[in-house]
Amino acid sequence: MSKLIIAEKPSVAKSIASALGASSRADGFYEGNGLLVSWCVGHLVSPMDAGSYDERFKKWRYDDLPILPEPFRYVLALGKEDAFENLRTLMNRPDVDTIVNACDAGREGELIFRLMYEMAGCRKPVLRLWISSMEDSAIREGFSDLRPGADYEALYQSALCRQKADWLVGINATRLFSVLYHRTLNVGRVQTPTLAMLAERDAKITLFHKEKYHLLRLILDGAEAVSEKFTDPAEAEQAAAMCKGAAVTCTSVTKEQKKEQPPKLYDLTTLQREANRLFGYTAKQTLDYAQTLYEKKLLTYPRTDSRYLTSDMAETASCVIHLAAKLPPFDGCGNFFPLVEAMISDKDVSDHHAIIPTMEIEKADIKALPLGERNLFLLVCCKLLCASAEPYMYEAVTATFNCCGHSFTAKGKRVLAEGWREIDRIFRAFLKEKPADGDGDTLPDFTEGQIFDGAEVAVTEHFTQPPKPYTEDTLLSAMENAGKDGIPDEAERKGLGTPATRAAIIEKLVAAGFVERKGKSLIPTKAGINLVTVLPEPLTSPMLTAEWEQKLTEIAKGSTDPDTFMDGIRTMVQEIVSTYSCISEDGQKLFAPEKEVIGTCPRCGQPVYEGKKNFACSDRSCGFVLWKNDRFWTSRKKELTKKMATDLLKKGRTNVKGMWSEKKQAAYDAAVILDDTGGKYINFKLEFPKRKAGADGRK
């Protein structure tokens, strides 16, 4: 008899087959050593569309809401029918007695397998392969420790609740507010609170009122001491005049030894944040690179929320650290003895441990990796080496001075042991990046009571700064920490979404036109801000969604009832639909497309807007309009473009190439002159370019 192993992707299936000796390739699977290995190609089964439950749901109407299907039904994902049939055929083979779920070891991987298994009507026993690395040794070890599929029933229920909740909230809220505002408004359980955070930050930036302040700066033995802020410039100048040339007394010198412990290893969110800071990668790009490196067996499983390793990994981690230390640019670091113990914490690892390189780096050609993958791989290596290094130790020095009753402060630090920062500095130099944090200037050896004659003083002008727009780095951090103040400290999962879903949420907001990227910044569009404004608080509150994530985690652990959770979701959806049944006339205009001003009306001076069929004066009583399909243009096989209309309004003329002459059956170029006589229709004149004289003087 044979076991059928089902992976999530063809590349993963290939690795598993290779590691387990299923070396014979057939159509849609590998075979050998008593095993069949095949794959899902992601989600093969999807929730049924609302319109498929009932014909009337194919149209979006308020009267049909809320749509609360019971039971939920599922269909094959479009275009994946062949992949599903391949798996069903394999599952039904008489020689297959056991199915092994080898989809990604997480909530979504469990859902992908179970929905496919249920749709196929399979009843054969299921075992679960749960691994965090695609290395051959990890696959073989995991296969020797297969667990009963029933052990993951609670995880499946959590995944199912997540999917159903997203469907119910997404379908009903999207239809409700789209019908009310006459525009497709995509509303999501996680994406809408994320959009709300972006809109809130944008409002703070817009409403920010900058304030001017001044500082006095003393130069003492080459070091700079700075005063408190002065809000009154006259007061600052007066203080500077008093201090100029006066005696300065050192009133105190404090020295404090400080220690910065090595950073923790990467979970997915931290990796995405640092990759955005260093390389400008989006969260999705980072996840894609990490997933590819995982499938190439170079990184461990990326969709993790843990920053620690388990105790049984200590020896492997030590070996990987020594291999990583041999890679350029880390081979330039001084010799160090890795402190693996600091990375170990069994209680802080749930489904998967932190992201680290694998033993495969010994054989891999890192230089041959595509740039994005190489950068990300070296970043993970850097973090592993930093996390295993000695602490960074320094002496912080603060000196205070008095001059004519005004207090000044100078700060500096003296490095005692570079520790892990040496590795970070070498890596940043390799990337031609500035060090993460300057070590600060080393102060002269000031002593308390020391007096300086003839102070040099300068006044500098400064302004308070508005909050900065979110980048993917700072937004991921905000999503991770959203709502945490209202959730108990012992709660395992907090924030908006999960490490595996946050990248997709950001991409959805951009694709829907609610957020745009400007450099590294994420800026909400006018439509995005308006959407947040009109939606009810439960849909925009990060607190509520964070609570839902926590409940989903509890469902996965078997401590919360899935039916109770879903009842709460249905009740909330019903309340939103009944509360928001109509909107004001002004509200309906919020999402009306903005008309673009393309020039000034030559008759009345009011703005001229572009419409679908024309360029018309905003004052309807004026009557000035340029039709895009005016017979003047269509007879010449042309359409009036925005650029041509702009030229006509600004210059009174526009140059047009390739106009067609019916009479001569030929194309020609000419300038079109606006000839407005104030009548109902606008006239145009043609002006032809003058011919240049030939070489013999003829024209």
Side-chain angles (χ1 to χ4, degrees):
M1 301 301 285
S2 300
K3 285 186 173 70
L4 170 61
I5 302 172
I6 300 177
E8 195 167 313
K9 293 180 179 179
S11 58
V12 176
K14 184 178 180 181
S15 295
I16 292 173
S18 174
L20 299 178
S23 54
S24 176
R25 175 70 193 257
D27 187 16
F29 63 96
Y30 298 89
E31 188 170 8
N33 204 19
L35 303 171
L36 303 173
V37 185
S38 192
W39 52 88
C40 277
V41 202
H43 281 278
L44 296 183
V45 178
S46 304
M48 186 183 282
D49 181 73
S52 300
Y53 283 99
D54 193 310
E55 192 69 24
R56 63 197 169 102
F57 293 157
K58 289 186 176 177
K59 289 188 177 180
W60 292 20
R61 291 184 294 246
Y62 176 83
D63 292 342
D64 294 329
L65 299 176
I67 300 170
L68 303 170
E70 190 60 49
F72 266 76
R73 285 184 279 180
Y74 293 84
V75 295
L76 288 180
L78 200 62
K80 296 186 178 180
E81 296 84 359
D82 290 345
F84 176 79
E85 285 304 322
N86 172 58
L87 288 176
R88 180 156 65 177
T89 300
L90 292 171
M91 284 190 280
N92 288 335
R93 273 180 42 162
D95 62 322
V96 171
D97 64 348
T98 305
I99 315 295
V100 177
N101 174 8
C103 291
D104 282 359
R107 190 166 74 184
E108 211 60 23
E110 195 66 25
L111 185 67
I112 287 171
F113 173 83
R114 295 289 280 270
L115 290 179
M116 177 277 303
Y117 177 84
E118 296 290 341
M119 177 69 80
C122 186
R123 293 295 176 264
K124 293 179 180 179
V126 175
L127 296 173
R128 186 56 157 115
L129 176 68
W130 193 272
I131 54 176
S132 294
S133 167
M134 291 307 299
E135 293 171 281
D136 289 356
S137 58
I139 293 169
R140 286 193 285 266
E141 186 179 336
F143 196 72
S144 68
D145 187 30
L146 294 174
R147 306 174 199 175
D151 288 0
Y152 297 88
E153 178 64 26
L155 181 65
Y156 170 55
Q157 291 301 325
S158 169
L160 210 53
C161 285
R162 192 280 308 158
Q163 188 184 67
K164 290 178 179 179
D166 283 347
W167 194 98
L168 289 172
V169 173
I171 292 291
N172 286 287
T174 294
R175 289 190 175 211
L176 170 63
F177 292 100
S178 297
V179 166
L180 290 176
Y181 289 96
H182 307 292
R183 172 186 162 163
T184 301
L185 299 174
N186 296 306
V187 180
R189 182 180 63 87
V190 178
Q191 72 184 46
T192 308
T194 303
L195 179 60
M197 289 196 299
L198 287 161
E200 183 183 3
R201 174 64 59 87
D202 186 72
K204 287 180 179 177
I205 294 170
T206 302
L207 297 173
F208 180 80
H209 176 67
K210 69 178 182 180
E211 295 178 353
K212 186 190 294 187
Y213 65 92
H214 295 78
L215 297 172
L216 301 190
R217 297 176 182 275
L218 290 178
I219 306 300
L220 304 166
D221 285 357
E224 185 177 72
V226 183
S227 71
E228 298 293 322
K229 291 180 181 178
F230 288 85
T231 53
D232 183 350
E235 189 180 338
E237 291 294 345
Q238 184 180 1
M242 289 173 59
C243 292
K244 188 174 182 181
V248 180
T249 303
C250 179
T251 53
S252 70
V253 178
T254 58
K255 296 180 180 181
E256 184 182 1
Q257 285 200 11
K258 294 192 174 182
K259 181 189 294 187
E260 283 186 21
Q261 294 296 339
K264 296 176 188 174
L265 298 170
Y266 282 130
D267 60 5
L268 177 58
T269 301
T270 319
L271 177 60
Q272 288 170 319
R273 291 183 59 196
E274 291 205 6
N276 179 252
R277 269 202 304 271
L278 278 177
F279 308 119
Y281 297 159
T282 66
K284 183 180 184 303
Q285 284 175 319
T286 298
L287 177 55
D288 289 345
Y289 291 145
Q291 180 69 24
T292 303
L293 289 166
Y294 168 66
E295 292 171 18
K296 289 181 177 179
K297 309 181 184 182
L298 291 172
L299 283 190
T300 58
Y301 187 68
R303 292 172 171 84
T304 176
D305 58 2
S306 174
R307 301 186 68 182
Y308 290 93
L309 305 177
T310 51
S311 52
D312 61 340
M313 296 182 65
E315 187 176 339
T316 301
S318 181
C319 292
V320 173
I321 289 166
H322 283 100
L323 290 172
K326 295 177 182 178
L327 292 175
F330 309 116
D331 53 354
C333 300
N335 292 327
F336 68 98
F337 299 96
L339 305 172
V340 178
E341 297 77 14
M343 308 177 189
I344 305 295
S345 179
D346 289 338
K347 69 181 179 63
D348 289 309
V349 179
S350 51
D351 294 341
H352 296 283
H353 58 70
I355 304 168
I356 63 170
T358 70
M359 296 286 287
E360 292 290 315
I361 59 176
E362 189 171 18
K363 299 178 282 184
D365 183 0
I366 305 304
K367 290 182 180 178
L369 290 172
L371 180 62
E373 293 175 28
R374 186 166 71 247
N375 281 342
L376 203 71
F377 180 77
L378 291 175
L379 185 59
V380 175
C381 287
C382 179
K383 186 63 73 175
L384 175 66
L385 293 170
C386 287
S388 67
E390 296 279 355
Y392 166 65
M393 299 177 68
Y394 63 94
E395 182 181 67
V397 182
T398 303
T400 58
F401 303 87
N402 183 279
C403 182
C404 299
H406 296 284
S407 180
F408 296 81
T409 303
K411 292 188 176 183
K413 63 170 68 171
R414 183 168 63 90
V415 177
L416 303 175
E418 274 205 284
W420 66 268
R421 277 188 176 269
E422 180 191 6
I423 301 164
D424 184 70
R425 179 177 52 76
I426 287 172
F427 182 55
R428 286 174 180 271
F430 170 73
L431 297 176
K432 298 181 179 174
E433 288 280 333
K434 292 180 180 177
D437 288 305
D439 288 330
D441 295 325
T442 302
L443 292 182
D445 196 13
F446 293 123
T447 56
E448 189 174 328
Q450 188 176 0
I451 296 175
F452 302 85
D453 293 322
E456 294 179 39
V457 62
V459 180
T460 54
E461 182 180 274
H462 305 267
F463 292 91
T464 53
Q465 296 297 310
K468 292 182 179 179
Y470 277 117
T471 61
E472 299 219 11
D473 164 24
T474 54
L475 181 61
L476 285 168
S477 176
M479 291 173 75
E480 186 176 37
N481 293 298
K484 71 174 184 179
D485 293 338
I487 292 180
D489 290 339
E490 64 271 15
E492 186 175 321
R493 177 166 282 153
K494 306 169 185 176
L496 294 173
T498 67
T501 61
R502 287 173 191 138
I505 294 300
I506 295 171
E507 294 303 322
K508 281 182 183 177
L509 289 170
V510 174
F514 296 136
V515 174
E516 59 186 0
R517 287 188 172 97
K518 291 185 177 178
K520 283 189 179 182
S521 298
L522 293 167
I523 310 295
T525 61
K526 184 177 179 183
I529 293 169
N530 286 341
L531 177 59
V532 169
T533 303
V534 303
L535 290 178
E537 196 265 346
L539 293 178
T540 61
S541 164
M543 182 65 212
L544 182 66
T545 308
E547 286 176 356
W548 286 355
E549 260 327 318
Q550 176 60 22
K551 287 177 182 175
L552 290 171
T553 301
E554 290 169 359
I555 291 170
K557 296 167 90 173
S559 57
T560 291
D561 177 46
D563 292 337
T564 303
F565 173 79
M566 291 309 304
D567 287 344
I569 298 292
R570 291 188 185 93
T571 300
M572 190 196 79
V573 168
Q574 288 171 324
E575 289 174 353
I576 289 172
V577 170
S578 62
T579 302
Y580 292 83
S581 57
C582 62
I583 54 170
S584 66
E585 190 174 326
D586 287 342
Q588 292 184 25
K589 295 176 183 176
L590 276 175
F591 297 97
E594 287 188 24
K595 293 182 177 179
E596 185 179 356
V597 178
I598 61 114
T600 302
C601 176
R603 294 185 184 179
C604 69
Q606 294 299 309
V608 173
Y609 293 121
E610 179 178 11
K612 286 186 178 179
K613 296 181 179 179
N614 58 32
F615 301 92
C617 179
S618 54
D619 185 348
R620 293 185 179 181
S621 63
C622 172
F624 178 84
V625 60
L626 299 172
W627 293 95
K628 294 179 181 180
N629 62 350
D630 186 296
R631 192 176 180 283
F632 176 86
W633 302 107
T634 57
S635 66
R636 291 166 172 80
K637 298 184 179 180
K638 285 288 178 182
E639 182 180 279
L640 180 61
T641 66
K642 183 166 68 174
K643 183 183 183 309
M644 291 157 63
T646 302
D647 286 346
L648 288 169
L649 293 170
K650 187 176 181 180
K651 307 172 187 174
R653 60 191 290 136
T654 184
N655 295 320
V656 184
K657 292 184 176 181
M659 287 190 286
W660 184 254
S661 169
E662 288 287 345
K663 186 176 179 181
K664 295 184 179 180
Q665 288 293 296
Y668 63 93
D669 302 339
V672 178
I673 313 298
L674 183 66
D675 185 25
D676 181 22
T677 56
K680 183 176 181 182
Y681 298 102
I682 307 297
N683 296 320
F684 302 97
K685 290 180 180 179
L686 293 175
E687 183 180 281
F688 295 93
K690 293 180 181 179
R691 289 185 179 180
K692 293 182 180 179
D696 58 359
R698 290 177 298 174
K699 291 187 177 180

